[in-house]
Every structure is written in structure tokens, then in C-alpha cells.
Amino acid sequence: MEKLFIFDTTLRDGEQVPGCQLNTIEKIEVAKALEELGVDVIEAGFPVSSPGDFNSVVEISKAVTWPTICALTRAVEKDIEVAAEALKYAKNKRMHTGIGTSDLHIKYKFNSTQEEILNRAVAAVSYAKKFVEDVEFYAEDAGRTNNEYLAKVVQAVVNAGATVINIPDTTGYCLPTEYGEKIKYIVEHVDMKNAILSTHCHQDLGMATANSIMGVINGARQVEVTINGIGERAGNTSLEEVVMAIKSHKELNIETNINTQKIYPLSKMVSNLMNMPIQPNKAIVGRNAFAHSSGIHQDGVLKNLSTYEIIDPKEVGIKDNSIVLTARSGRHALKSRLNLLDIKVDADELSQIYTKFLELADRKKDINDEDLLILCGRELNSTNRIKLEYLQISSGKGMKSVAVVTLNIAGEKFTNSSFGNGPVDAAIKAVREIIKRQVTIQEFLIQAINKGSDDLGKVHMQIEYNDVVYYGFSANTDITTASVEAFIDAINKIPV
């Protein structure tokens, strides 16, 4: 098996998304998680761009042990000097320098010539080699660069000592075959010595992962990626997609160092820290990636997972797939959910319940366990064992949020107060202190039902208790109340 190096640029290219900036402490947290994931190279920042980026590269270099820490520069001596200073504590360090090579960049960005750009590229690599041994060169907008000229530049920087050559499809323009042929052309026309080729593809036309894989098939041995595919404009190549595509296709005879079971937890961490929700249908890590609502699909999955799942969700750190009950669900899925609720029915009873179920599913978007219990004429005592009786919040600018909560638990009332980082946090902390169960909130989704400020908002909550996942739901004009009720709804589903 050949090794494919994973170069993660979440903390540099990924962080260029407006509103997703992280502070140094948060960057260190992500960098340590990337190290645990098994990433080979962490691009920690662009040191000359700001004091914050410089400091982040310094502190990440101190905090991370074995991955290579990379700092970005332009083909400018000052950039390179500042990057070298920022990397001084890194155990394994790399400088990532380069310049635009397409005719568009040469003419309009640099007002220069191909020969001058080639000389600047060589000068940048040569100068960077004075500070670090490991120098990566990027040919910006290589996707739209003439292959013959691109190969000429690559040969020149390899001769100057570059150890990695990055061929970016900066604008996401290339078709997969076109990008693969570009990598192949370089492999066939350049004496790479001991240097390797790297892909860096963008998602403008939705082909970043396909282009990266075609690059690997044609000889690239490093891929530049971000968690959740975040990044400039439409985003970068998604780490999780490339890694799982490589893992799924054994015939490529390529492997990575990634511990795939840590993908989903890191995906959620980055999403939360950057306040950038993951689209539900996102490959690998989206909420619906392993969810099945079609009756045909549900039937197949319940019989054998491989009928509709090419990846075991546990491989990426997700505990199980999800059978979502909708109007398209079949009898097999309904019976499976009833069995989980410990409701045993014969064929005739199932047919009667299924008819009622379809009528309800046509009217109601979300079919939950409570709905099924009512359809079956049953109600578990635990379902409504805990009820929210009273909630008062004190919150505002310049003050710590305080919540007072009263719960009715099996007829007995309990009251508690708690401080928190905002009204929802304070209220849920107060509930936690009353129920005294060690539950973990895995997913917390707030959605507006309508667009007005006084309309209903709905909250979906996913919690984990003793390695089992439970779901809660509520809707209310007050989002704090809805959040607490959804949390309690999930708690109520834990067996007493």
C-alpha cells in the first residue's frame, strides 16, 4: 500500500470563511484533535498576515508533537522571514511558498511575464531553503495554467530544492479528467527527484473531491483538505470525503494515516467552534448521511446494511444509522421501531397500525415514539414522567444568565436555579442538577417554523446516555422553553 499524506488547512484556508475566525486557544484545540485524527501536515496559518496568525503558528508549534507544522507565505522575502520565526518551536516544520502561474494571474495580478514569475518562484524556494529543509511550492491557479509552462516552473522549483509541489485548482474550474491529466503531464514531463505532488482543489463547481481523487490516481501523493470542506467561497476539498473514498476503494492500493473513527467528533467540533452548521445531506458527516426514509431503502438496510450503505457509520465515529419514519416508510421499518419500543404485534395488528400510521404521516412531518404509542393505544409511564412546570430566566447584556426551573417528576416537584453562558445553557444546567443523570448533548438544532419574530421555533435535541442515543423535540414561541422541553423529552425516553 502506498502512503497518501493528508495536509489539513482547516486553520488557514478553512478559516478564511467570513465569520469563522478562531482565537489561538480554539486553534490549539483543533490542532490537537487533528493530531489525534492522524493528519500528517497541519497548515497553522499565514504568519505575516496578522499578529494573531503569527501567534497561532507559534503556539500550535509548541502544542503539537509529531505532525509537520506548515506556515504559508507569498514569494516575498519578508513573508518567508516572518514564517521562519513563527515556526521556530515546531518539531517538524514546513514553509509553504508560491506564486500565481496562470496567464490571468501573471498579466492582471502581477503585471509580469512568464520568465519573471519563474525567476521569482525559484528565488522564493531558494530563500525558504535557508530557513527550513522542507519547502512546499504552490503554483496558484495551476488549474488554469498551461501544462507546458506549469511543468517548466515545477522543474525549476524542484531543482531549487522544493520537497512538495502543490498544484492548486484555485478557482475550482477543472473537470476531474482535466485535472487528472494535468497531474499526469507533470509526472511524465518533470524529473521530480524526491519531491511529491500535492492536490489543492476548490469546490466552486462541486468537483473538489473528484478532482483530488483523480489527482491521486494520476500520481499525487498528498491531498490538501479541510474538515467539513470549509474554505474560501464554496469551500475546499473535504477531508472526510477523500479519506473515506480512498478507504472504500481498496483497489487503489493507497492508505492514509487517518483514524477514521475520530472524523465525526472532529467534524462537530469544527462546526461548533466556527459556528458553521453542517448541511444535513453532507457526505459522511451530515445528519442524513446514514438516515433512511424510503420504505424500499429501509427494508433493505434492516435486512443487510450493505444494500444501501457502503460505509459502516461506526467507521467514522457515528454510533448507528437512522431509520426515519415518514409516509414513505414500509411495514418492516414500522415493525422494527415498535420492537424497539417493546411493542409486539401480529401481522393483522401491524396492518391496522400501519394504515393509521400512513394517515398520520401524511399530516405530520415528524413521527416520534409518542405518536406510535398513541397509535398502538399504549402509553409508557416513563414518557411523561418528567414535566417542565416553571421556568424563569434573568438575562441581559453585561450580566450572567440565571435560570430557575421547577420540574414535576412522577408527581413530586423539584426546583433548582443555575448560572450559565446564556439563557439556554443556564436552564439546561438547572435541569441537569435536578435529574442527576450524566447525559451528553450530541446535537442541538434550532429551526424557525415561520419567519416572524413571534412565530414558533422548533428544537431537536439528541442526547447520549450509557452509550445509547435518545431524541427529543419541542416547539414554542420561546426558544429557551422549547430547548428545555426538548431536553426533557429526550430524558423521558431513557428507561427508568
Side-chain angles (χ1 to χ4, degrees):
M1 299 281 279
E2 289 191 65
K3 170 74 181 290
L4 178 65
F5 293 91
I6 303 298
F7 175 114
D8 185 273
T9 184
T10 301
L11 296 176
R12 199 277 301 171
D13 207 343
E15 206 219 8
Q16 290 177 192
V17 178
C20 291
Q21 285 71 30
L22 303 179
N23 60 40
T24 298
I25 300 301
E26 291 168 332
K27 286 186 177 183
I28 291 171
E29 185 181 356
V30 173
K32 286 184 174 180
L34 288 170
E35 181 174 30
E36 289 184 12
L37 182 68
V39 163
D40 300 286
V41 184
I42 298 173
E43 189 164 46
F46 184 8
V48 81
S49 66
S50 72
D53 247 32
F54 179 91
N55 186 55
S56 292
V57 174
V58 171
E59 296 305 321
I60 289 170
S61 296
K62 294 176 182 177
V64 171
T65 306
W66 67 266
T68 296
I69 303 301
C70 180
L72 184 76
T73 83
R74 295 165 297 181
V76 176
E77 289 191 356
K78 178 65 174 177
D79 283 26
I80 293 168
E81 291 164 3
V82 172
E85 178 65 18
L87 288 168
K88 64 182 178 181
Y89 295 107
K91 288 81 176 174
N92 303 296
K93 59 190 74 175
R94 176 183 294 180
M95 197 92 70
H96 191 186
T97 190
I99 196 166
T101 55
S102 69
D103 288 342
L104 281 165
H105 279 230
I106 293 171
K107 181 178 180 180
Y108 295 109
K109 185 175 177 180
F110 300 110
N111 190 27
S112 187
T113 64
Q114 287 190 345
E115 195 60 35
E116 186 179 338
I117 291 298
L118 188 147
N119 291 336
R120 287 181 63 179
V122 170
V125 171
S126 299
Y127 194 60
K129 289 290 282 188
K130 294 181 179 180
F131 299 94
V132 296
E133 182 56 35
D134 190 1
V135 176
E136 178 172 342
F137 174 81
Y138 64 85
E140 190 176 11
D141 204 23
R144 294 187 295 177
T145 300
N146 171 272
N147 285 352
E148 187 176 344
Y149 175 65
L150 181 61
K152 186 177 179 181
V153 173
V154 171
Q155 186 66 75
V157 295
V158 167
N159 292 344
T163 51
V164 180
I165 307 298
N166 176 10
I167 308 298
D169 185 20
T170 306
T171 59
Y173 173 77
C174 288
L175 296 172
T177 50
E178 181 183 9
Y179 187 77
E181 287 166 2
K182 189 175 290 286
I183 297 295
K184 184 179 181 181
Y185 184 91
I186 295 170
V187 169
E188 292 177 347
H189 291 82
V190 174
D191 176 9
M192 293 294 294
K193 305 184 188 298
N194 293 319
I196 64 171
L197 287 173
S198 178
T199 69
H200 181 112
C201 300
H202 280 260
Q203 186 73 346
D204 299 72
L205 294 176
M207 292 183 283
T209 295
N211 283 342
S212 297
I213 295 296
M214 285 302 291
V216 172
I217 289 172
N218 283 279
R221 286 299 173 263
Q222 176 178 283
V223 288
E224 304 193 5
V225 293
T226 62
I227 300 298
N228 300 333
I230 62 171
E232 193 87 23
R233 303 182 313 281
N236 287 50
T237 305
S238 165
L239 178 147
E240 56 274 11
E241 292 175 15
V242 168
V243 167
M244 295 313 296
I246 294 294
K247 186 172 183 178
S248 299
H249 287 270
K250 307 292 185 188
E251 72 275 11
L252 295 178
N253 200 36
I254 294 170
E255 62 182 354
T256 71
N257 191 48
I258 299 297
N259 179 351
T260 61
Q261 292 184 354
K262 294 185 180 292
I263 285 175
Y264 185 62
L266 180 51
S267 165
K268 291 180 66 177
M269 174 198 286
V270 170
S271 174
N272 291 335
L273 287 176
M274 291 190 168
N275 194 27
M276 193 169 183
I278 302 165
Q279 64 193 68
N281 63 327
K282 168 75 174 68
I284 313 299
V285 293
R287 183 159 33 93
N288 294 343
F290 297 97
H292 307 275
S293 66
S294 160
I296 295 171
H297 288 220
Q298 290 174 342
D299 183 63
V301 165
L302 288 167
K303 290 173 178 174
N304 188 305
L305 288 175
S306 61
T307 54
Y308 287 99
E309 289 183 3
I310 59 171
I311 299 168
D312 184 337
K314 294 182 179 65
E315 283 189 56
V316 295
I318 298 173
K319 292 193 179 296
D320 211 343
N321 61 20
S322 174
I323 300 295
V324 182
L325 294 179
T326 70
R328 295 174 300 281
S329 297
R331 285 177 171 78
H332 194 174
L334 177 60
K335 185 176 182 180
S336 175
R337 179 65 65 83
L338 292 177
N339 286 339
L340 289 174
L341 293 171
D342 200 28
I343 297 175
K344 309 299 180 187
V345 293
D346 59 29
D348 289 339
E349 288 176 310
L350 180 63
S351 292
Q352 293 173 13
I353 294 169
Y354 184 64
T355 299
K356 295 177 184 176
F357 162 78
L358 289 179
E359 291 173 357
L360 179 62
D362 279 334
R363 302 194 311 269
K364 191 173 188 287
K365 186 180 247 185
D366 300 296
I367 302 296
N368 56 40
D369 292 346
E370 244 177 23
D371 294 325
L372 295 180
L373 291 168
I374 292 169
L375 285 177
C376 296
R378 308 183 190 187
E379 186 172 347
L380 296 178
N381 292 333
S382 63
T383 302
N384 299 313
R385 199 174 70 89
I386 305 173
K387 296 178 181 178
L388 177 65
E389 290 237 339
Y390 177 83
L391 171 63
Q392 180 177 316
I393 299 290
S394 297
S395 182
K397 186 175 180 180
M399 66 177 289
K400 193 87 168 173
S401 294
V402 185
V404 180
V405 170
T406 298
L407 300 183
N408 183 322
I409 303 179
E412 188 174 355
K413 294 184 180 180
F414 299 85
T415 299
N416 188 54
S417 61
S418 184
F419 293 94
N421 296 319
V424 173
D425 183 52
I428 287 180
K429 280 183 178 176
V431 173
R432 283 181 183 274
E433 290 169 10
I434 294 174
I435 62 174
K436 301 188 186 306
R437 287 188 188 242
Q438 296 299 313
V439 299
T440 303
I441 296 176
Q442 288 193 330
E443 187 172 285
F444 179 23
L445 179 64
I446 299 174
Q447 293 176 303
I449 292 177
N450 294 304
K451 294 183 179 179
S453 61
D454 61 344
D455 287 317
L456 282 175
K458 59 181 181 179
V459 174
H460 294 265
M461 188 86 70
Q462 178 180 319
I463 68 170
E464 181 182 336
Y465 178 72
N466 286 347
D467 294 328
V468 179
V469 172
Y470 301 92
Y471 299 88
F473 168 81
S474 181
N476 199 291
T477 53
D478 181 83
I479 206 65
T480 304
T481 301
S483 301
V484 174
E485 288 178 340
F487 184 62
I488 292 171
D489 185 42
I491 296 291
N492 271 320
K493 291 168 183 172
I494 301 174
V496 179

